[in-house]
Amino acid sequence: MTVEQYDLIIVGGGPIGLACAIEAQKKKLKYLIIEKGAIVNSIFNYPLYMTFFSTAERLEIGNIPFNCLAPKPGRQEALEYYRNIHRYFDFSIHLFEKVTQVIKQENLLFKIATNKSQYEAKNVVIATGFYDIPIHMNVKGEELSHVRHYYKEAHEYAFRNIVVVGANNSSVDAALECWRKGANVTMVIRKSEINNRVKYWVKPDIENRIAEGSIKAYFESNITEIHENEVEIDTPNGKVKIESDFILALTGYKPDLTFLEKMGIQLSDDERKVPTYNPETMETNVTGLFLAGVVCGGMETHKWFIENSRVHANMIVDYITSK
């Protein structure tokens, strides 16, 4: 079987992967994006009514304007924008194809294996984001079917007892939306307050709902066990049990660190698990293997966003073409 060879293979078809492809096109590199799901798959899997923290112009790639009537774009507008980006640039992209292995061969080319085919490339960019793997609570009952680690919309939770775990943007958005659709919402929060990184126009809303008692919150608390119809919570005032029809364990997500390690990328020897890369070129400790976007932060998933990692595309392609 003849294996097609590329100058650059980009693993991940999110905004930063697309930005890398745009730069590769400009420099006339033979490239391919391989994406395991739909185009900008992570944004597709966001809650239906999610609003970005960034303004539209900070989400732009390829110097293509992102026109948006609202002050902040939502999920639907972002999907429309990035679909139009694909229409404009006509990317070389394989959707719904999952990369399973990236190996540096003795001939210095990378062999990229997927669930559908094999490829070779002189250079590889990993732009896989961090939304794939939920951070689990590791408590008894977490595997039950009414425990959810992703949130789409509030309708199915209306008029039910909902426990929302966490105090970041995803948790706060879910708690407010479910409450507004008629759910009885209780939040379980490990820290003593709502996270300061919560969107500035949403944070007062959730704090006021908690203060007035519309949404109940247990601070400095953790779930210790989940049952079919109730949940046990360890609070500063002792253990409590409350009724629960659904648990939204929105405790965050992490990149596929095992995938990075299998490629030979070294991770920091602490809880941050930051991958090794040159901040001037984005090249990892494996020559020809680059990182772009949120995946660069390891477990520090709040460090990189679309708006501040778009520059990775230029850095990587400029370095590849200068060699």
PDB file of all heavy atoms in Angstrom, residues 118-154:
ATOM      1  N   GLN A 118      -3.212   5.337   6.926  1.00  0.00           N
ATOM      2  CA  GLN A 118      -1.884   5.693   7.418  1.00  0.00           C
ATOM      3  C   GLN A 118      -1.297   6.775   6.521  1.00  0.00           C
ATOM      4  O   GLN A 118      -1.589   6.844   5.323  1.00  0.00           O
ATOM      5  CB  GLN A 118      -0.948   4.474   7.429  1.00  0.00           C
ATOM      6  CG  GLN A 118      -1.293   3.439   8.485  1.00  0.00           C
ATOM      7  CD  GLN A 118      -0.213   2.381   8.598  1.00  0.00           C
ATOM      8  OE1 GLN A 118       0.809   2.443   7.922  1.00  0.00           O
ATOM      9  NE2 GLN A 118      -0.448   1.401   9.457  1.00  0.00           N
ATOM     10  N   TYR A 119      -0.447   7.621   7.118  1.00  0.00           N
ATOM     11  CA  TYR A 119       0.165   8.726   6.388  1.00  0.00           C
ATOM     12  C   TYR A 119       1.600   8.894   6.868  1.00  0.00           C
ATOM     13  O   TYR A 119       1.979   8.385   7.932  1.00  0.00           O
ATOM     14  CB  TYR A 119      -0.602  10.038   6.633  1.00  0.00           C
ATOM     15  CG  TYR A 119      -2.098   9.919   6.462  1.00  0.00           C
ATOM     16  CD1 TYR A 119      -2.909   9.564   7.540  1.00  0.00           C
ATOM     17  CD2 TYR A 119      -2.691  10.138   5.228  1.00  0.00           C
ATOM     18  CE1 TYR A 119      -4.281   9.434   7.388  1.00  0.00           C
ATOM     19  CE2 TYR A 119      -4.064  10.029   5.060  1.00  0.00           C
ATOM     20  CZ  TYR A 119      -4.855   9.670   6.149  1.00  0.00           C
ATOM     21  OH  TYR A 119      -6.207   9.547   5.985  1.00  0.00           O
ATOM     22  N   GLU A 120       2.368   9.651   6.102  1.00  0.00           N
ATOM     23  CA  GLU A 120       3.699  10.049   6.533  1.00  0.00           C
ATOM     24  C   GLU A 120       3.812  11.565   6.409  1.00  0.00           C
ATOM     25  O   GLU A 120       3.200  12.167   5.527  1.00  0.00           O
ATOM     26  CB  GLU A 120       4.789   9.380   5.684  1.00  0.00           C
ATOM     27  CG  GLU A 120       4.992   7.906   6.014  1.00  0.00           C
ATOM     28  CD  GLU A 120       6.205   7.310   5.315  1.00  0.00           C
ATOM     29  OE1 GLU A 120       6.587   7.850   4.255  1.00  0.00           O
ATOM     30  OE2 GLU A 120       6.758   6.331   5.833  1.00  0.00           O
ATOM     31  N   ALA A 121       4.599  12.150   7.298  1.00  0.00           N
ATOM     32  CA  ALA A 121       4.757  13.596   7.280  1.00  0.00           C
ATOM     33  C   ALA A 121       6.128  13.986   7.801  1.00  0.00           C
ATOM     34  O   ALA A 121       6.681  13.326   8.677  1.00  0.00           O
ATOM     35  CB  ALA A 121       3.671  14.264   8.122  1.00  0.00           C
ATOM     36  N   LYS A 122       6.647  15.077   7.237  1.00  0.00           N
ATOM     37  CA  LYS A 122       7.916  15.609   7.730  1.00  0.00           C
ATOM     38  C   LYS A 122       7.728  16.300   9.076  1.00  0.00           C
ATOM     39  O   LYS A 122       8.640  16.321   9.908  1.00  0.00           O
ATOM     40  CB  LYS A 122       8.481  16.606   6.717  1.00  0.00           C
ATOM     41  CG  LYS A 122       8.787  16.009   5.351  1.00  0.00           C
ATOM     42  CD  LYS A 122       9.213  17.105   4.370  1.00  0.00           C
ATOM     43  CE  LYS A 122       9.424  16.544   2.973  1.00  0.00           C
ATOM     44  NZ  LYS A 122       9.752  17.616   1.995  1.00  0.00           N
ATOM     45  N   ASN A 123       6.556  16.894   9.262  1.00  0.00           N
ATOM     46  CA  ASN A 123       6.253  17.621  10.498  1.00  0.00           C
ATOM     47  C   ASN A 123       4.819  17.327  10.926  1.00  0.00           C
ATOM     48  O   ASN A 123       3.947  17.067  10.079  1.00  0.00           O
ATOM     49  CB  ASN A 123       6.398  19.136  10.290  1.00  0.00           C
ATOM     50  CG  ASN A 123       7.781  19.529   9.807  1.00  0.00           C
ATOM     51  OD1 ASN A 123       8.703  19.657  10.587  1.00  0.00           O
ATOM     52  ND2 ASN A 123       7.908  19.730   8.497  1.00  0.00           N
ATOM     53  N   VAL A 124       4.587  17.394  12.231  1.00  0.00           N
ATOM     54  CA  VAL A 124       3.247  17.151  12.780  1.00  0.00           C
ATOM     55  C   VAL A 124       2.945  18.233  13.814  1.00  0.00           C
ATOM     56  O   VAL A 124       3.794  18.574  14.647  1.00  0.00           O
ATOM     57  CB  VAL A 124       3.147  15.764  13.441  1.00  0.00           C
ATOM     58  CG1 VAL A 124       1.783  15.583  14.114  1.00  0.00           C
ATOM     59  CG2 VAL A 124       3.377  14.659  12.405  1.00  0.00           C
ATOM     60  N   VAL A 125       1.727  18.776  13.738  1.00  0.00           N
ATOM     61  CA  VAL A 125       1.233  19.697  14.760  1.00  0.00           C
ATOM     62  C   VAL A 125       0.104  19.017  15.524  1.00  0.00           C
ATOM     63  O   VAL A 125      -0.834  18.494  14.903  1.00  0.00           O
ATOM     64  CB  VAL A 125       0.711  21.011  14.136  1.00  0.00           C
ATOM     65  CG1 VAL A 125       0.027  21.866  15.208  1.00  0.00           C
ATOM     66  CG2 VAL A 125       1.829  21.789  13.490  1.00  0.00           C
ATOM     67  N   ILE A 126       0.201  19.031  16.836  1.00  0.00           N
ATOM     68  CA  ILE A 126      -0.876  18.525  17.680  1.00  0.00           C
ATOM     69  C   ILE A 126      -1.664  19.724  18.190  1.00  0.00           C
ATOM     70  O   ILE A 126      -1.156  20.564  18.935  1.00  0.00           O
ATOM     71  CB  ILE A 126      -0.319  17.710  18.874  1.00  0.00           C
ATOM     72  CG1 ILE A 126       0.604  16.595  18.383  1.00  0.00           C
ATOM     73  CG2 ILE A 126      -1.470  17.147  19.708  1.00  0.00           C
ATOM     74  CD1 ILE A 126      -0.054  15.582  17.471  1.00  0.00           C
ATOM     75  N   ALA A 127      -2.923  19.827  17.747  1.00  0.00           N
ATOM     76  CA  ALA A 127      -3.796  20.936  18.136  1.00  0.00           C
ATOM     77  C   ALA A 127      -5.132  20.369  18.597  1.00  0.00           C
ATOM     78  O   ALA A 127      -6.198  20.719  18.094  1.00  0.00           O
ATOM     79  CB  ALA A 127      -3.984  21.900  16.966  1.00  0.00           C
ATOM     80  N   THR A 128      -5.061  19.466  19.575  1.00  0.00           N
ATOM     81  CA  THR A 128      -6.217  18.668  19.979  1.00  0.00           C
ATOM     82  C   THR A 128      -7.031  19.260  21.120  1.00  0.00           C
ATOM     83  O   THR A 128      -8.023  18.667  21.531  1.00  0.00           O
ATOM     84  CB  THR A 128      -5.761  17.255  20.364  1.00  0.00           C
ATOM     85  OG1 THR A 128      -4.639  17.349  21.252  1.00  0.00           O
ATOM     86  CG2 THR A 128      -5.348  16.458  19.146  1.00  0.00           C
ATOM     87  N   GLY A 129      -6.619  20.415  21.662  1.00  0.00           N
ATOM     88  CA  GLY A 129      -7.421  21.029  22.714  1.00  0.00           C
ATOM     89  C   GLY A 129      -7.421  20.225  24.002  1.00  0.00           C
ATOM     90  O   GLY A 129      -6.487  19.473  24.288  1.00  0.00           O
ATOM     91  N   PHE A 130      -8.511  20.358  24.763  1.00  0.00           N
ATOM     92  CA  PHE A 130      -8.539  19.710  26.085  1.00  0.00           C
ATOM     93  C   PHE A 130      -9.916  19.182  26.474  1.00  0.00           C
ATOM     94  O   PHE A 130     -10.116  18.699  27.582  1.00  0.00           O
ATOM     95  CB  PHE A 130      -8.080  20.705  27.163  1.00  0.00           C
ATOM     96  CG  PHE A 130      -9.111  21.758  27.501  1.00  0.00           C
ATOM     97  CD1 PHE A 130      -9.874  21.657  28.655  1.00  0.00           C
ATOM     98  CD2 PHE A 130      -9.327  22.838  26.676  1.00  0.00           C
ATOM     99  CE1 PHE A 130     -10.828  22.621  28.970  1.00  0.00           C
ATOM    100  CE2 PHE A 130     -10.266  23.808  26.970  1.00  0.00           C
ATOM    101  CZ  PHE A 130     -11.016  23.697  28.126  1.00  0.00           C
ATOM    102  N   TYR A 131     -10.889  19.247  25.567  1.00  0.00           N
ATOM    103  CA  TYR A 131     -12.284  18.996  25.928  1.00  0.00           C
ATOM    104  C   TYR A 131     -12.667  17.515  25.870  1.00  0.00           C
ATOM    105  O   TYR A 131     -13.826  17.171  26.033  1.00  0.00           O
ATOM    106  CB  TYR A 131     -13.180  19.806  24.982  1.00  0.00           C
ATOM    107  CG  TYR A 131     -14.547  20.154  25.505  1.00  0.00           C
ATOM    108  CD1 TYR A 131     -14.714  20.827  26.704  1.00  0.00           C
ATOM    109  CD2 TYR A 131     -15.682  19.821  24.782  1.00  0.00           C
ATOM    110  CE1 TYR A 131     -15.969  21.165  27.163  1.00  0.00           C
ATOM    111  CE2 TYR A 131     -16.947  20.159  25.222  1.00  0.00           C
ATOM    112  CZ  TYR A 131     -17.094  20.827  26.422  1.00  0.00           C
ATOM    113  OH  TYR A 131     -18.343  21.166  26.870  1.00  0.00           O
ATOM    114  N   ASP A 132     -11.703  16.647  25.650  1.00  0.00           N
ATOM    115  CA  ASP A 132     -12.013  15.242  25.391  1.00  0.00           C
ATOM    116  C   ASP A 132     -12.239  14.411  26.651  1.00  0.00           C
ATOM    117  O   ASP A 132     -13.046  13.482  26.658  1.00  0.00           O
ATOM    118  CB  ASP A 132     -10.879  14.589  24.591  1.00  0.00           C
ATOM    119  CG  ASP A 132     -10.808  15.105  23.167  1.00  0.00           C
ATOM    120  OD1 ASP A 132     -11.822  15.670  22.709  1.00  0.00           O
ATOM    121  OD2 ASP A 132      -9.766  14.971  22.540  1.00  0.00           O
ATOM    122  N   ILE A 133     -11.496  14.710  27.713  1.00  0.00           N
ATOM    123  CA  ILE A 133     -11.486  13.820  28.877  1.00  0.00           C
ATOM    124  C   ILE A 133     -11.953  14.577  30.113  1.00  0.00           C
ATOM    125  O   ILE A 133     -11.271  15.497  30.576  1.00  0.00           O
ATOM    126  CB  ILE A 133     -10.077  13.249  29.112  1.00  0.00           C
ATOM    127  CG1 ILE A 133      -9.579  12.540  27.848  1.00  0.00           C
ATOM    128  CG2 ILE A 133     -10.067  12.301  30.300  1.00  0.00           C
ATOM    129  CD1 ILE A 133      -8.145  12.069  27.923  1.00  0.00           C
ATOM    130  N   PRO A 134     -13.100  14.208  30.690  1.00  0.00           N
ATOM    131  CA  PRO A 134     -13.553  14.874  31.924  1.00  0.00           C
ATOM    132  C   PRO A 134     -12.633  14.538  33.097  1.00  0.00           C
ATOM    133  O   PRO A 134     -12.076  13.440  33.173  1.00  0.00           O
ATOM    134  CB  PRO A 134     -14.950  14.292  32.157  1.00  0.00           C
ATOM    135  CG  PRO A 134     -15.325  13.604  30.898  1.00  0.00           C
ATOM    136  CD  PRO A 134     -14.062  13.190  30.227  1.00  0.00           C
ATOM    137  N   ILE A 135     -12.476  15.503  33.992  1.00  0.00           N
ATOM    138  CA  ILE A 135     -11.767  15.246  35.243  1.00  0.00           C
ATOM    139  C   ILE A 135     -12.781  14.658  36.224  1.00  0.00           C
ATOM    140  O   ILE A 135     -13.735  15.326  36.620  1.00  0.00           O
ATOM    141  CB  ILE A 135     -11.147  16.535  35.800  1.00  0.00           C
ATOM    142  CG1 ILE A 135     -10.125  17.096  34.808  1.00  0.00           C
ATOM    143  CG2 ILE A 135     -10.503  16.291  37.157  1.00  0.00           C
ATOM    144  CD1 ILE A 135      -9.582  18.456  35.185  1.00  0.00           C
ATOM    145  N   HIS A 136     -12.595  13.411  36.586  1.00  0.00           N
ATOM    146  CA  HIS A 136     -13.570  12.712  37.417  1.00  0.00           C
ATOM    147  C   HIS A 136     -13.415  13.058  38.893  1.00  0.00           C
ATOM    148  O   HIS A 136     -12.331  13.424  39.362  1.00  0.00           O
ATOM    149  CB  HIS A 136     -13.464  11.202  37.216  1.00  0.00           C
ATOM    150  CG  HIS A 136     -13.993  10.744  35.892  1.00  0.00           C
ATOM    151  ND1 HIS A 136     -13.215  10.687  34.761  1.00  0.00           N
ATOM    152  CD2 HIS A 136     -15.234  10.337  35.522  1.00  0.00           C
ATOM    153  CE1 HIS A 136     -13.944  10.252  33.742  1.00  0.00           C
ATOM    154  NE2 HIS A 136     -15.173  10.037  34.180  1.00  0.00           N
ATOM    155  N   MET A 137     -14.508  12.915  39.626  1.00  0.00           N
ATOM    156  CA  MET A 137     -14.496  13.145  41.068  1.00  0.00           C
ATOM    157  C   MET A 137     -13.922  11.948  41.820  1.00  0.00           C
ATOM    158  O   MET A 137     -13.494  12.075  42.961  1.00  0.00           O
ATOM    159  CB  MET A 137     -15.922  13.420  41.569  1.00  0.00           C
ATOM    160  CG  MET A 137     -16.567  14.642  40.953  1.00  0.00           C
ATOM    161  SD  MET A 137     -18.244  14.903  41.584  1.00  0.00           S
ATOM    162  CE  MET A 137     -19.104  13.495  40.831  1.00  0.00           C
ATOM    163  N   ASN A 138     -13.969  10.772  41.167  1.00  0.00           N
ATOM    164  CA  ASN A 138     -13.480   9.531  41.773  1.00  0.00           C
ATOM    165  C   ASN A 138     -14.207   9.212  43.078  1.00  0.00           C
ATOM    166  O   ASN A 138     -13.602   8.985  44.126  1.00  0.00           O
ATOM    167  CB  ASN A 138     -11.966   9.599  41.999  1.00  0.00           C
ATOM    168  CG  ASN A 138     -11.192   9.717  40.700  1.00  0.00           C
ATOM    169  OD1 ASN A 138     -11.515   9.055  39.724  1.00  0.00           O
ATOM    170  ND2 ASN A 138     -10.179  10.578  40.678  1.00  0.00           N
ATOM    171  N   VAL A 139     -15.543   9.221  42.981  1.00  0.00           N
ATOM    172  CA  VAL A 139     -16.368   8.853  44.138  1.00  0.00           C
ATOM    173  C   VAL A 139     -17.283   7.691  43.752  1.00  0.00           C
ATOM    174  O   VAL A 139     -17.572   7.474  42.567  1.00  0.00           O
ATOM    175  CB  VAL A 139     -17.205  10.044  44.637  1.00  0.00           C
ATOM    176  CG1 VAL A 139     -16.301  11.182  45.089  1.00  0.00           C
ATOM    177  CG2 VAL A 139     -18.197  10.520  43.579  1.00  0.00           C
ATOM    178  N   LYS A 140     -17.732   6.973  44.735  1.00  0.00           N
ATOM    179  CA  LYS A 140     -18.620   5.838  44.503  1.00  0.00           C
ATOM    180  C   LYS A 140     -19.934   6.325  43.904  1.00  0.00           C
ATOM    181  O   LYS A 140     -20.531   7.288  44.371  1.00  0.00           O
ATOM    182  CB  LYS A 140     -18.893   5.105  45.827  1.00  0.00           C
ATOM    183  CG  LYS A 140     -19.687   3.820  45.649  1.00  0.00           C
ATOM    184  CD  LYS A 140     -19.836   3.084  46.969  1.00  0.00           C
ATOM    185  CE  LYS A 140     -20.634   1.795  46.781  1.00  0.00           C
ATOM    186  NZ  LYS A 140     -20.809   1.082  48.085  1.00  0.00           N
ATOM    187  N   GLY A 141     -20.377   5.688  42.819  1.00  0.00           N
ATOM    188  CA  GLY A 141     -21.625   6.036  42.163  1.00  0.00           C
ATOM    189  C   GLY A 141     -21.462   6.986  40.991  1.00  0.00           C
ATOM    190  O   GLY A 141     -22.438   7.295  40.301  1.00  0.00           O
ATOM    191  N   GLU A 142     -20.220   7.426  40.723  1.00  0.00           N
ATOM    192  CA  GLU A 142     -20.002   8.369  39.629  1.00  0.00           C
ATOM    193  C   GLU A 142     -20.330   7.749  38.275  1.00  0.00           C
ATOM    194  O   GLU A 142     -20.624   8.460  37.311  1.00  0.00           O
ATOM    195  CB  GLU A 142     -18.558   8.867  39.639  1.00  0.00           C
ATOM    196  CG  GLU A 142     -18.290  10.025  38.705  1.00  0.00           C
ATOM    197  CD  GLU A 142     -16.912  10.643  38.894  1.00  0.00           C
ATOM    198  OE1 GLU A 142     -16.110  10.103  39.682  1.00  0.00           O
ATOM    199  OE2 GLU A 142     -16.640  11.667  38.245  1.00  0.00           O
ATOM    200  N   GLU A 143     -20.317   6.413  38.215  1.00  0.00           N
ATOM    201  CA  GLU A 143     -20.593   5.733  36.948  1.00  0.00           C
ATOM    202  C   GLU A 143     -22.086   5.606  36.653  1.00  0.00           C
ATOM    203  O   GLU A 143     -22.472   5.152  35.561  1.00  0.00           O
ATOM    204  CB  GLU A 143     -19.960   4.338  36.979  1.00  0.00           C
ATOM    205  CG  GLU A 143     -20.672   3.309  37.844  1.00  0.00           C
ATOM    206  CD  GLU A 143     -20.474   3.501  39.345  1.00  0.00           C
ATOM    207  OE1 GLU A 143     -19.642   4.340  39.744  1.00  0.00           O
ATOM    208  OE2 GLU A 143     -21.156   2.789  40.131  1.00  0.00           O
ATOM    209  N   LEU A 144     -22.960   6.011  37.573  1.00  0.00           N
ATOM    210  CA  LEU A 144     -24.399   5.887  37.365  1.00  0.00           C
ATOM    211  C   LEU A 144     -24.868   6.753  36.197  1.00  0.00           C
ATOM    212  O   LEU A 144     -24.278   7.796  35.902  1.00  0.00           O
ATOM    213  CB  LEU A 144     -25.148   6.268  38.648  1.00  0.00           C
ATOM    214  CG  LEU A 144     -24.947   5.313  39.834  1.00  0.00           C
ATOM    215  CD1 LEU A 144     -25.551   5.905  41.107  1.00  0.00           C
ATOM    216  CD2 LEU A 144     -25.561   3.941  39.538  1.00  0.00           C
ATOM    217  N   SER A 145     -25.942   6.341  35.549  1.00  0.00           N
ATOM    218  CA  SER A 145     -26.371   6.973  34.295  1.00  0.00           C
ATOM    219  C   SER A 145     -26.878   8.394  34.476  1.00  0.00           C
ATOM    220  O   SER A 145     -26.898   9.167  33.515  1.00  0.00           O
ATOM    221  CB  SER A 145     -27.459   6.129  33.636  1.00  0.00           C
ATOM    222  OG  SER A 145     -28.593   6.024  34.479  1.00  0.00           O
ATOM    223  N   HIS A 146     -27.290   8.768  35.672  1.00  0.00           N
ATOM    224  CA  HIS A 146     -27.804  10.125  35.863  1.00  0.00           C
ATOM    225  C   HIS A 146     -26.692  11.118  36.229  1.00  0.00           C
ATOM    226  O   HIS A 146     -26.967  12.293  36.491  1.00  0.00           O
ATOM    227  CB  HIS A 146     -28.902  10.155  36.939  1.00  0.00           C
ATOM    228  CG  HIS A 146     -28.431   9.862  38.329  1.00  0.00           C
ATOM    229  ND1 HIS A 146     -27.962   8.631  38.720  1.00  0.00           N
ATOM    230  CD2 HIS A 146     -28.349  10.645  39.430  1.00  0.00           C
ATOM    231  CE1 HIS A 146     -27.625   8.667  39.994  1.00  0.00           C
ATOM    232  NE2 HIS A 146     -27.847   9.888  40.455  1.00  0.00           N
ATOM    233  N   VAL A 147     -25.452  10.653  36.209  1.00  0.00           N
ATOM    234  CA  VAL A 147     -24.303  11.532  36.428  1.00  0.00           C
ATOM    235  C   VAL A 147     -23.757  11.946  35.066  1.00  0.00           C
ATOM    236  O   VAL A 147     -23.411  11.103  34.235  1.00  0.00           O
ATOM    237  CB  VAL A 147     -23.206  10.831  37.253  1.00  0.00           C
ATOM    238  CG1 VAL A 147     -22.024  11.771  37.464  1.00  0.00           C
ATOM    239  CG2 VAL A 147     -23.766  10.361  38.592  1.00  0.00           C
ATOM    240  N   ARG A 148     -23.689  13.246  34.807  1.00  0.00           N
ATOM    241  CA  ARG A 148     -23.268  13.754  33.511  1.00  0.00           C
ATOM    242  C   ARG A 148     -22.009  14.612  33.669  1.00  0.00           C
ATOM    243  O   ARG A 148     -21.927  15.450  34.564  1.00  0.00           O
ATOM    244  CB  ARG A 148     -24.376  14.619  32.892  1.00  0.00           C
ATOM    245  CG  ARG A 148     -25.773  13.961  32.922  1.00  0.00           C
ATOM    246  CD  ARG A 148     -25.913  12.899  31.864  1.00  0.00           C
ATOM    247  NE  ARG A 148     -27.161  12.169  31.950  1.00  0.00           N
ATOM    248  CZ  ARG A 148     -28.334  12.621  31.509  1.00  0.00           C
ATOM    249  NH1 ARG A 148     -28.424  13.827  30.977  1.00  0.00           N
ATOM    250  NH2 ARG A 148     -29.426  11.880  31.609  1.00  0.00           N
ATOM    251  N   HIS A 149     -21.051  14.415  32.756  1.00  0.00           N
ATOM    252  CA  HIS A 149     -19.834  15.233  32.770  1.00  0.00           C
ATOM    253  C   HIS A 149     -19.846  16.281  31.661  1.00  0.00           C
ATOM    254  O   HIS A 149     -18.910  17.083  31.571  1.00  0.00           O
ATOM    255  CB  HIS A 149     -18.597  14.341  32.638  1.00  0.00           C
ATOM    256  CG  HIS A 149     -18.340  13.510  33.865  1.00  0.00           C
ATOM    257  ND1 HIS A 149     -17.787  14.039  35.008  1.00  0.00           N
ATOM    258  CD2 HIS A 149     -18.591  12.204  34.129  1.00  0.00           C
ATOM    259  CE1 HIS A 149     -17.682  13.085  35.923  1.00  0.00           C
ATOM    260  NE2 HIS A 149     -18.162  11.977  35.410  1.00  0.00           N
ATOM    261  N   TYR A 150     -20.880  16.252  30.834  1.00  0.00           N
ATOM    262  CA  TYR A 150     -21.068  17.271  29.807  1.00  0.00           C
ATOM    263  C   TYR A 150     -22.484  17.808  29.910  1.00  0.00           C
ATOM    264  O   TYR A 150     -23.412  17.075  30.278  1.00  0.00           O
ATOM    265  CB  TYR A 150     -20.834  16.704  28.401  1.00  0.00           C
ATOM    266  CG  TYR A 150     -19.386  16.348  28.120  1.00  0.00           C
ATOM    267  CD1 TYR A 150     -18.896  15.074  28.396  1.00  0.00           C
ATOM    268  CD2 TYR A 150     -18.518  17.290  27.581  1.00  0.00           C
ATOM    269  CE1 TYR A 150     -17.569  14.750  28.148  1.00  0.00           C
ATOM    270  CE2 TYR A 150     -17.195  16.968  27.317  1.00  0.00           C
ATOM    271  CZ  TYR A 150     -16.727  15.697  27.609  1.00  0.00           C
ATOM    272  OH  TYR A 150     -15.414  15.390  27.365  1.00  0.00           O
ATOM    273  N   TYR A 151     -22.649  19.067  29.598  1.00  0.00           N
ATOM    274  CA  TYR A 151     -23.957  19.711  29.679  1.00  0.00           C
ATOM    275  C   TYR A 151     -24.295  20.314  28.321  1.00  0.00           C
ATOM    276  O   TYR A 151     -23.467  21.028  27.736  1.00  0.00           O
ATOM    277  CB  TYR A 151     -23.925  20.805  30.748  1.00  0.00           C
ATOM    278  CG  TYR A 151     -25.128  21.721  30.743  1.00  0.00           C
ATOM    279  CD1 TYR A 151     -26.338  21.304  31.276  1.00  0.00           C
ATOM    280  CD2 TYR A 151     -25.044  23.002  30.189  1.00  0.00           C
ATOM    281  CE1 TYR A 151     -27.452  22.143  31.270  1.00  0.00           C
ATOM    282  CE2 TYR A 151     -26.147  23.846  30.175  1.00  0.00           C
ATOM    283  CZ  TYR A 151     -27.336  23.412  30.716  1.00  0.00           C
ATOM    284  OH  TYR A 151     -28.434  24.238  30.696  1.00  0.00           O
ATOM    285  N   LYS A 152     -25.492  20.023  27.813  1.00  0.00           N
ATOM    286  CA  LYS A 152     -25.899  20.541  26.504  1.00  0.00           C
ATOM    287  C   LYS A 152     -26.940  21.649  26.626  1.00  0.00           C
ATOM    288  O   LYS A 152     -26.778  22.729  26.108  1.00  0.00           O
ATOM    289  CB  LYS A 152     -26.436  19.388  25.645  1.00  0.00           C
ATOM    290  CG  LYS A 152     -26.396  19.691  24.151  1.00  0.00           C
ATOM    291  CD  LYS A 152     -24.959  19.721  23.647  1.00  0.00           C
ATOM    292  CE  LYS A 152     -24.874  19.912  22.151  1.00  0.00           C
ATOM    293  NZ  LYS A 152     -23.490  20.019  21.674  1.00  0.00           N
ATOM    294  N   GLU A 153     -28.050  21.341  27.285  1.00  0.00           N
ATOM    295  CA  GLU A 153     -29.088  22.347  27.483  1.00  0.00           C
ATOM    296  C   GLU A 153     -29.932  21.975  28.694  1.00  0.00           C
ATOM    297  O   GLU A 153     -29.834  20.864  29.236  1.00  0.00           O
ATOM    298  CB  GLU A 153     -29.972  22.487  26.243  1.00  0.00           C
ATOM    299  CG  GLU A 153     -30.752  21.241  25.885  1.00  0.00           C
ATOM    300  CD  GLU A 153     -31.760  21.503  24.770  1.00  0.00           C
ATOM    301  OE1 GLU A 153     -32.329  22.618  24.745  1.00  0.00           O
ATOM    302  OE2 GLU A 153     -31.988  20.612  23.939  1.00  0.00           O
ATOM    303  N   ALA A 154     -30.811  22.902  29.124  1.00  0.00           N
ATOM    304  CA  ALA A 154     -31.488  22.764  30.414  1.00  0.00           C
ATOM    305  C   ALA A 154     -32.809  22.010  30.354  1.00  0.00           C
ATOM    306  O   ALA A 154     -33.314  21.593  31.399  1.00  0.00           O
ATOM    307  CB  ALA A 154     -31.723  24.156  30.997  1.00  0.00           C
TER     308      ALA A 154
END
